[in-house]
Amino acid sequence: MHSVLQALGVHAQHIELVWHTMLWVCGFMYLLVIAFLIHAIWRRRGDSDAEAPRRMSVALAGWIGLMVLGLFGLTLTSFLTDRALVHAASEPQVTLKITGYQWWWEIEYTNPDPSRQVRTANEIHLPVGAQVLAELGSNDVIHSLWVPSLNGKRDLIPGRPTEISLQPLRIGRYRGQCAEFCGLQHAKMALEVVVESQQDYDAWYERQLAAAPPASEARAARGQQVFFNTACNLCHAIAGTDAAATVGPDLSHVASRRMLAAGALPNDPEHLRRWLQNPQREKPGNHMPIVSLGRDDLDALIAYLGTLQ
Amino acid sequence: MSARDLDERPLQFMGDLSHLEDHGHSHRSLTWWGMMGLICVEATALGLAVVAYLYLSTHEQQWPPAYLLPDPGWGTAFTVIVLLSFVPNMLLDKRAQQEKLGPVRLWIVVMTVIGFILVVIRYFEFRSMHVAWSDSAYGSAVIVLLGLHTVHLVTDLYDSIVLVVLMFTRHGDTGRRYVDVAENAIYWNFVIYVWVPIYVVLYFVPRWL
Amino acid sequence: MSAQSPSLDGEWLDESATRQRLEKTWDDAPGLWGALTTLDHKRVGLRYIVTAFGFFGLAGVAAFVMRLQLAHAENDLVGPDLYNQLFTMHGSTMMFLFAVPIMQAVGIYFVPLMVGTRAISFPRLLAFSYWIYLFGGLLLWTAFFLNIGPDAGWFAYVPLSGPQYSPGKRVDIWAQMITYTELSSIAVAVSTIATIFKQRAPGMALNRVPLFVWAILVMSFMVLFAMPSVMIGSSFLIMDRLVGTHFFNPAEGGDALLWQHLFWFFGHPEVYIIFIPALGMVSSIVQTFSRRPVFGYPLMVLSLIATSLFAFGLWVHHMFATGLPRLGNSFYTAASMVIAIPTGIQIFGWIATVWLGKPRFTTPFLFIIGFIVVFVIGGLTGVMLASVPLDLQVHDTYFVVAHFHYVLIGGGVFPLLGAVYYWFPKITGRLLDERLGKLNFWLFFIGFNVTFFPMHYLGLAGMPRRVYTYSSGLGWDGLNLLATGGAVLIAISLLLLAFNIVRSLRSGAAAGANPWDADTLEWATSSPPLSFNFTHIPLVTGSHPLWDSERLHVMRGLRLDERELVLTTVLDAQPDLREPSVPPSIWPFLAAIAVGTMFVTSIFSPWAVIVGAIPIAITLTAWFWPKSAAEEEIEQ
Ligand code: HEA
Ligand code: HEA
Ligand code: CUA
Ligand SMILES: [Cu+2]
């Protein structure tokens, strides 16, 4: 779901109300203008009427009054909604830290207990109905986090922390996208918010906490070697292994995500293969280089990544 | 001339312009308005540079970040002289409006000498800031603010030199030239006025913060 | 000098002899030399207009290519790198090289005519400004064709546009283009303000000044106070990039938002700089074709002034999503709402004028009706954007793209095209074809709405702006295709306009001095006007000189053998001085080359600023140097 008009978060619903108010008030004013225009053009013109300019001045006074009233109403609506938005989600149950990178999202679930912190990328899981507070930052240029069905957007600005709150009301998958132009692949910097029941969420969370299972099956074990021999580990982290770099997305549970590379591709072996063969073809300009791999190595690597549930 | 149709309206002469003077001072002159326009632009630009400085200062824990405050000596000397130059400058303006060649020659030379002295002091002032533009945002703001004022200073000095040359040639003793001199004097006033807030910002804001 | 002197104009000389002598004084040298040295505001103004339309064509073709790319999902007509250059070029060119210059240019051409003077103030500055503008535009487009076109968007947010994330020369080119165009537009503004304040025909007190001239005056003041902001900003940017300052570098105490404040403190007034002159055009056209004075003149003037003042207090509404303090944001919401009132008053004023008058449905008038129908939609979506919560949803989406094309094209290009049809006869002496004109209007009107109306929905449906492609399945495909179809209609309609212009230039009906029976002074002189505009300086005794009297009231006593102007007092336009107007000169052109070279080379080495100052000083000195001895002797 990805639309302002399908508001399924508390915030988005408040805003949807503003939209409807605006639409009606402005629509009404527009009709008045057009009606006046049509009448001015096509009215029957009798002999010149000396009184007409004076009557017109009265009409103008009325029009000004109406404008002032309308604008006052709209400003008030806007202001009250803004207040309501501040109060919504004032006691967060889930706190996140989201960092923008060219062109993907790093997501960390903060927790006072360091062992219960989760780091992932491009996919946020939330329990339905929970109040969520996300701290936003950027590693490079300005990005903007926007999940239209849940809330308006907020910029991620280097050197200036910002925050946004969310409160999803229905189970489902919500699409989000970077809204501030951030360079070559701004178009393909999406993310997904998976809203699920509390149980599903908890289960997901526990799985994310777990380290990657040791690569036991032969092909996967080979793949793991490939991963370390071809420098993947210089950019990516996999919990439970030596790979701990943060240049690219955390891959500890990459197989559990639905999309690859910030929404650029669906996450299945076929697309993963294409991605690993040539990330620059799938997402030109992104910061993952082409790493040339033999066919067997590639198969093994894909098998290995597939085990990272 | 084919497409050029002259208006056929009959003319009616209503008055005569030939008695009007051919130059006037202050807001009667066209160039005065041009000057005012440029002063608006430059004042806005300097104002925004000051605002940018203050904006950056609110963003920092320490201001200046490296704790090296500018030495106020040269800056204060500059301020004193530039403020005092107001007097000869006003005399120049007045004499130019009265179109008196001798005094105008004297005072324009005086103003040029003052300009020279100020440029020299400005050189030392730059060094007394103890910061380079590439050190930090503070350094960038300081140097650019001082630099912007220096550009105005040098421009006006150059203009004065040209006027000195003109006043000592046969172009000097004409109405238009007196207007030019008077307008140069107005511009100098502007250079004086804008210095005051810049001085306060550069030397005192870091001490207050 | 005696009043009867034969070197002065007056009833003692017959008209054609007077004109001959004025031609000798005011006509340019023939050929290339004349073209390079001319100071005639009509030649320079027309040059500006043609050049600006040239840039409009380039930027429009860039938009057309973008529309083709977006026609369907996952299209690969252009890649991300080229696409980013395309929208940056499109936006920057439309704003800096088309919309602002063309509005100023129409002012350059018509303000001196409308206020009844022989020449613009500071004509050398004006000539200089044109060359600077041309060089800036050429720099930008040459860079684009060399594949070093800027790619950071028309507002080039840092840090993306900073040294670290945009290495290479692309953004430097953009920043210097800004410097060029801002310099030229400040120069034009200064010339225009002085002309309007000091050169109005005797008797044209401020309350008789045509609304178009008021609009240009207000806009020129906005230029003076808005442009410095972007000049400071772009200088900071280029210094950060080239000499290592840290204004926008958070690691060294700089701040990325400082750029946004500086840019939008200019950028918001900028949009009204485009819009306000267009309102002046609307007033002129409505007045002429309703055959009555615009309703509520004082209120219309006050509305213009109010708009221009408020315009400096709303820049933050472009930055709501940056998370500035909430209460502050609400202030900007309120301010943005308030600005709707003066605009609403003006909309009312024009409709009331039509209501009270007897409208004639010519092509210019149709464009004005189109303006009202289209612009008001854009204005109302502006009001929606002003609301912080709603803006947080639709900011940086196609909803905003729809908003600003409705206001820029509705509020800028519609009046401008109306003005083209309206003033073309004055500029060329020939009428444009009305049947083609009406076809042009309808195609443009329909094409425009088909292109941009669906974008409102696209934005609400989550489509962000500045994306080179999108995946299908998000429900954006059909409307994007429709928008592209609309762009085809727009292109056809503009080709039709080009055809109409070419045809009229070759064989259009002769226009005569005042084809529309309009009331302002530009229609009191020939079409096209002579180099000295008016044989005799008009005397203005009412608000509508050509409607008020069958005769043209004029003054005698200006010199014929010297370029001379009447200066009048600011408020009442009482004759005050006769000032000389400078003769043609090559120095403005040479100074522009010196300045232009300095700016370009400064991209490659900061030393260029120091070294380049020398030729600039030389050319400027020569420019302002009093006439040579030989010339003065000829005078005696
Ligand atoms: C000609 C140019 C022009 C004009 C005239 C306007 C006019 C207005 N604009 Fe627009 N605007 C732009 C050009 C323009 N704008 C551009 C180019 C951008 C985008 C820049 C970018 O990001 O690239 C932009 C972006 C923009 C934003 C930021 C959006 C975002 O990025 O998130 C906002 C937010 O407040 C806004 C508001 C307004 C308002 C309130 C008006 C008002 O002035 C409108 C007033 C007019 C009316 C309202 C209609 C007539 C009045 C009535 C009929 C009265 C009755 C009305 C009521 C009672 C409601 N504009
Ligand atoms: C006055 C300003 C102005 C004008 C007139 C236009 C006119 C048009 N604009 Fe533009 N637009 C902007 C100002 C303007 N725009 C700005 C400021 C931006 C933001 C940029 C940014 O994000 O940085 C923008 C962004 C913008 C986008 C969003 C890009 C993105 O975010 O990814 C789009 C997309 O459709 C678009 C389309 C168009 C189209 C189809 C026209 C058409 O109306 C153009 C019609 C003109 C022509 C087609 C040329 C003339 C015709 C001929 C010479 C005939 C021959 C031509 C052909 C056969 C093709 N514009
Ligand atoms: Cu990140 Cu756009
Ligand atoms: Cu704005």
Side-chain angles (χ1 to χ4, degrees):
Chain A
M1 263 160 287
H2 185 76
S3 172
V4 175
L5 304 178
Q6 278 175 300
L8 295 169
V10 169
H11 303 78
Q13 288 184 345
H14 278 296
I15 299 178
E16 199 186 20
L17 201 68
V18 180
W19 160 249
H20 284 134
T21 318
M22 285 281 181
L23 191 61
W24 283 106
V25 173
C26 292
F28 174 72
M29 296 304 274
Y30 188 66
L31 288 182
L32 276 185
V33 170
I34 296 302
F36 184 29
L37 180 66
I38 290 176
H39 189 241
I41 292 173
W42 276 298
R43 81 187 177 95
R44 294 255 290 295
R45 276 162 224 276
D47 303 329
S48 67
D49 176 358
E51 277 294 280
R54 205 190 51 79
R55 282 204 308 267
M56 201 54 93
S57 305
V58 176
L60 174 57
W63 171 243
I64 295 178
L66 197 63
M67 281 195 294
V68 171
L69 201 71
L71 291 168
F72 183 76
L74 294 179
T75 311
L76 199 67
T77 312
S78 169
F79 182 73
L80 292 178
T81 309
D82 206 35
R83 306 259 9 137
L85 290 183
V86 180
H87 294 307
S90 48
E91 289 157 17
Q93 287 128 10
V94 179
T95 50
L96 302 170
K97 185 164 175 356
I98 302 178
T99 311
Y101 286 71
Q102 280 179 325
W103 292 275
W104 57 280
W105 311 88
E106 181 184 70
I107 290 142
E108 290 160 284
Y109 285 76
T110 44
N111 194 302
D113 174 2
S115 71
R116 291 199 57 81
Q117 291 180 353
V118 161
R119 179 202 293 270
T120 174
N122 302 332
E123 198 175 284
I124 305 176
H125 286 245
L126 297 176
V128 66
Q131 302 191 357
V132 183
L133 184 69
E135 232 179 89
L136 307 177
S138 167
N139 183 54
D140 36 50
V141 303
I142 303 180
H143 304 271
S144 192
L145 181 82
W146 186 37
V147 189
S149 293
L150 298 183
N151 195 354
K153 56 186 71 64
R154 176 106 314 153
D155 291 351
L156 292 73
I157 308 169
R160 265 194 183 252
T162 50
E163 56 181 40
I164 191 171
S165 48
L166 304 171
Q167 191 176 2
L169 293 175
R170 199 188 298 168
I171 291 175
R173 281 177 179 272
Y174 299 84
R175 189 171 179 278
Q177 176 151 8
C178 176
E180 183 64 63
F181 177 60
C182 52
L184 281 177
Q185 281 302 337
H186 161 65
K188 293 193 176 168
M189 183 168 165
L191 80 165
E192 217 164 38
V193 179
V194 183
V195 176
E196 48 204 0
S197 66
Q198 187 71 43
Q199 293 94 312
D200 289 353
Y201 171 76
D202 290 340
W204 174 83
Y205 200 88
E206 292 308 320
R207 255 181 291 133
Q208 298 292 312
L209 280 174
S216 46
E217 191 248 339
R219 232 155 53 115
R222 164 109 187 276
Q224 188 173 29
Q225 272 172 3
V226 175
F227 189 88
F228 282 91
N229 294 341
T230 45
C232 309
N233 59 328
L234 293 185
C235 298
H236 294 285
I238 296 179
T241 73
D242 289 344
T246 55
V247 177
D250 190 303
L251 298 181
S252 307
H253 302 277
V254 63
S256 73
R257 307 206 267 267
R258 202 173 70 94
M259 303 294 282
L260 273 179
L265 302 166
N267 189 5
D268 53 46
E270 184 46 36
H271 285 94
L272 183 57
R273 174 180 302 276
R274 288 172 54 179
W275 173 257
L276 295 176
Q277 273 172 341
N278 187 350
Q280 295 302 321
R281 185 184 53 219
E282 305 305 324
K283 197 169 167 181
N286 88 78
H287 291 318
M288 170 153 158
I290 302 174
V291 181
S292 59
L293 291 166
R295 208 189 150 72
D296 287 353
D297 285 353
L298 190 57
D299 288 342
L301 189 57
I302 292 169
Y304 171 60
L305 292 177
T307 65
L308 301 176
Q309 278 296 338
Chain B
M1 293 294 280
S2 61
R4 186 167 281 197
D5 258 23
L6 293 178
D7 186 30
E8 298 303 317
R9 275 170 196 270
L11 295 178
Q12 187 170 351
F13 285 92
M14 306 283 287
D16 197 304
L17 302 166
S18 59
H19 60 278
L20 300 175
E21 290 172 79
D22 68 357
H23 68 276
H25 282 276
S26 178
H27 62 86
R28 292 175 67 203
S29 133
L30 212 47
T31 40
W32 185 88
W33 286 92
M35 169 101 64
M36 285 301 148
L38 291 181
I39 286 180
C40 283
V41 171
E42 284 157 19
T44 314
L46 283 165
L48 287 164
V50 168
V51 171
Y53 175 103
L54 296 173
Y55 181 87
L56 288 171
S57 75
T58 60
H59 205 63
E60 280 283 352
Q61 307 287 323
Q62 288 169 17
W63 191 260
Y67 268 135
L68 255 189
L69 290 166
D71 287 338
W74 288 106
T76 308
F78 186 96
T79 312
V80 171
I81 298 181
V82 92
L83 288 178
L84 286 179
S85 75
F86 184 77
V87 178
N89 191 48
M90 281 331 287
L91 286 170
L92 175 61
D93 184 26
K94 216 159 142 195
R95 294 295 176 250
Q97 298 215 22
Q98 296 162 351
E99 312 199 348
K100 291 202 172 124
L101 185 61
V104 166
R105 281 182 172 168
L106 171 68
W107 291 116
I108 185 92
V109 170
V110 170
M111 287 309 297
T112 309
V113 172
I114 295 180
F116 260 117
I117 297 173
L118 286 173
V119 170
V120 172
I121 295 183
R122 181 50 59 77
Y123 170 78
F124 291 103
E125 199 183 346
F126 267 108
R127 302 185 38 163
S128 67
M129 303 312 295
H130 301 306
V131 71
W133 67 59
S134 52
D135 286 351
S136 63
Y138 164 77
S140 310
V142 165
I143 299 297
V144 164
L145 210 47
L146 206 52
L148 270 176
H149 189 260
T150 311
V151 170
H152 289 84
L153 184 68
V154 172
T155 313
D156 195 88
L157 176 61
Y158 181 75
D159 192 23
S160 306
I161 296 173
V162 173
L163 284 172
V164 167
V165 174
L166 283 174
M167 287 320 289
F168 285 93
T169 63
R170 93 202 124 66
H171 299 291
D173 198 11
T174 59
R176 291 287 333 153
R177 215 57 56 225
Y178 290 115
V179 176
D180 290 348
V181 172
E183 274 156 16
N184 176 271
I186 297 176
Y187 194 79
W188 184 258
N189 276 346
F190 169 68
V191 173
I192 300 178
Y193 294 146
V194 294
W195 173 248
V196 178
I198 297 180
Y199 173 70
V200 172
V201 165
L202 287 183
Y203 293 94
F204 291 99
V205 167
R207 291 187 156 73
W208 292 333
L209 281 183
Chain C
M1 234 178 280
S2 89
Q4 298 286 331
S5 159
S7 64
L8 302 180
D9 76 318
E11 50 273 67
W12 45 82
L13 265 179
D14 84 70
E15 289 297 287
S16 68
T18 313
R19 274 187 202 123
Q20 261 172 23
R21 303 181 61 166
L22 281 168
E23 270 164 22
K24 219 170 131 246
T25 312
W26 287 90
D27 276 8
D28 290 317
L32 182 66
W33 182 253
L36 292 179
T37 56
T38 184
L39 303 182
D40 183 341
H41 69 94
K42 299 177 293 299
R43 277 182 94 173
V44 178
L46 188 56
R47 233 172 239 181
Y48 256 113
I49 294 175
V50 171
T51 314
F53 268 118
F55 286 126
F56 173 69
L58 286 171
V61 172
F64 196 77
V65 177
M66 292 193 303
R67 280 306 340 150
L68 291 180
Q69 162 68 13
L70 295 176
H72 58 87
E74 304 289 0
N75 195 359
D76 53 9
L77 179 72
V78 300
D81 182 54
L82 180 57
Y83 188 87
N84 293 352
Q85 289 184 59
L86 283 174
F87 73 70
T88 306
M89 293 298 287
H90 168 71
S92 308
T93 304
M94 284 294 188
M95 301 303 271
F96 296 110
L97 299 174
F98 164 65
V100 174
I102 200 146
M103 295 300 171
Q104 288 194 310
V106 177
I108 293 168
Y109 196 104
F110 286 106
V111 160
L113 289 167
M114 284 191 172
V115 303
T117 181
R118 289 206 195 292
I120 200 162
S121 320
F122 316 124
R124 290 188 181 173
L125 187 62
L126 180 73
F128 171 79
S129 79
Y130 171 75
W131 299 115
I132 286 287
Y133 156 67
L134 180 67
F135 296 158
L138 290 180
L139 169 70
L140 185 70
W141 280 89
T142 311
F144 175 72
F145 288 115
L146 296 176
N147 198 26
I148 43 171
D151 57 356
W154 87 277
F155 39 79
Y157 276 2
V158 293
L160 182 61
S161 64
Q164 202 179 346
Y165 300 99
S166 292
K169 295 289 167 212
R170 290 180 164 188
V171 175
D172 300 323
I173 305 253
W174 181 85
Q176 286 308 44
M177 181 278 291
I178 299 292
T179 314
Y180 281 98
T181 51
E182 308 311 270
L183 189 63
S184 87
S185 98
I186 287 174
V188 175
V190 169
S191 282
T192 322
I193 291 176
T195 309
I196 297 174
F197 273 165
K198 290 304 290 176
Q199 290 182 222
R200 299 198 309 279
M204 187 182 279
L206 278 184
N207 60 357
R208 292 173 178 167
V209 169
L211 284 169
F212 176 76
V213 177
W214 267 115
I216 295 286
L217 179 68
V218 169
M219 168 261 225
S220 301
F221 269 103
M222 293 185 72
V223 167
L224 293 191
F225 294 105
M227 297 292 174
S229 188
V230 71
M231 285 190 86
I232 289 277
S234 69
S235 308
F236 285 1
L237 177 62
I238 209 152
M239 285 190 285
D240 268 15
R241 294 178 55 85
L242 297 177
V243 301
T245 55
H246 298 291
F247 288 103
F248 306 128
N249 179 2
E252 293 289 348
D255 186 2
L257 286 192
L258 174 60
W259 166 260
Q260 299 192 13
H261 283 294
L262 286 172
F263 187 89
W264 291 117
F265 185 74
F266 144 82
H268 185 83
E270 158 101 340
V271 305
Y272 294 89
I273 285 172
I274 296 166
F275 179 52
I276 284 181
L279 300 184
M281 298 172 181
V282 173
S283 288
S284 284
I285 297 174
V286 165
Q287 175 153 308
T288 298
F289 295 106
S290 307
R291 284 178 279 202
R292 81 177 298 284
V294 167
F295 175 78
Y297 174 95
L299 213 53
M300 298 299 263
V301 173
L302 286 179
S303 298
L304 285 177
I305 297 175
T307 309
S308 74
L309 294 178
F310 289 137
F312 283 89
L314 351 160
W315 77 95
V316 173
H317 71 203
H318 296 270
M319 299 167 60
F320 286 153
T322 58
L324 294 172
R326 280 196 127 87
L327 199 66
N329 281 349
S330 298
F331 167 80
Y332 291 98
T333 296
S336 308
M337 297 276 183
V338 168
I339 208 166
I341 293 175
T343 314
I345 291 177
Q346 291 180 85
I347 299 279
F348 183 96
W350 294 309
I351 303 182
T353 312
V354 174
W355 202 94
L356 295 168
K358 304 185 184 66
R360 281 179 287 169
F361 292 90
T362 55
T363 308
F365 193 71
L366 276 185
F367 272 103
I368 298 315
I369 294 178
F371 151 77
I372 294 179
V373 174
V374 170
F375 168 77
V376 174
I377 295 184
L380 293 169
T381 53
V383 167
M384 298 178 184
L385 290 172
S387 152
V388 179
L390 189 54
D391 182 65
L392 291 179
Q393 277 288 19
V394 290
H395 169 68
D396 268 335
T397 68
Y398 265 82
F399 190 90
V400 174
V401 176
H403 159 68
F404 67 71
H405 285 90
Y406 265 80
V407 281
L408 283 167
I409 299 186
V413 178
F414 270 87
L416 183 70
L417 294 183
V420 167
Y421 278 89
Y422 180 60
W423 277 314
F424 185 86
K426 179 50 59 185
I427 297 178
T428 65
R430 297 181 185 281
L431 290 161
L432 284 169
D433 186 80
E434 277 287 306
R435 289 224 337 269
L436 282 178
K438 286 182 176 141
L439 189 59
N440 175 189
F441 167 77
W442 284 110
L443 273 176
F444 189 72
F445 181 79
I446 295 169
F448 170 81
N449 285 295
V450 173
T451 308
F452 294 103
F453 198 78
M455 291 185 187
H456 293 109
Y457 180 78
L458 281 173
L460 292 169
M463 181 163 170
R465 62 194 283 203
R466 298 171 160 185
V467 293
Y468 74 101
T469 192
Y470 51 92
S471 19
S472 65
L474 291 165
W476 303 340
D477 309 46
L479 289 179
N480 268 303
L481 186 61
L482 185 66
T484 304
V488 175
L489 289 184
I490 298 182
I492 296 176
S493 79
L494 292 172
L495 283 176
L496 204 65
L497 172 68
F499 172 72
N500 198 355
I501 288 177
V502 172
R503 208 177 74 146
S504 284
L505 282 177
R506 297 172 55 176
S507 58
N514 189 0
W516 312 116
D517 189 19
D519 67 314
T520 37
L521 283 176
E522 80 271 28
W523 304 104
T525 182
S526 58
S527 309
L530 301 154
S531 58
F532 42 89
N533 291 354
F534 299 93
T535 321
H536 310 282
I537 297 300
L539 172 77
V540 175
T541 49
S543 301
H544 310 279
L546 303 193
W547 286 348
D548 294 344
S549 145
E550 280 300 301
R551 292 162 171 274
L552 188 63
H553 298 161
V554 296
M555 304 288 279
R556 69 176 89 78
L558 273 201
R559 286 177 76 157
L560 298 172
D561 54 350
E562 269 284 307
R563 296 185 166 212
E564 200 172 57
L565 306 170
V566 199
L567 299 196
T568 51
T569 54
V570 174
L571 297 180
D572 308 330
Q574 292 304 314
D576 183 32
L577 295 173
R578 300 181 309 153
E579 269 204 6
S581 179
V582 288
S585 159
I586 191 70
W587 290 107
F589 176 64
L590 297 179
I593 292 186
V595 173
T597 313
M598 188 269 271
F599 284 154
V600 177
T601 46
S602 72
I603 297 178
F604 300 94
S605 159
W607 287 105
V609 179
I610 313 278
V611 179
I614 297 165
I616 295 177
I618 295 174
T619 46
L620 290 182
T621 311
W623 163 350
F624 289 106
W625 198 260
K627 279 182 280 185
S628 72
E631 274 176 302
E632 278 182 11
E633 263 154 42
I634 295 172
E635 260 175 53
Q636 269 124 45

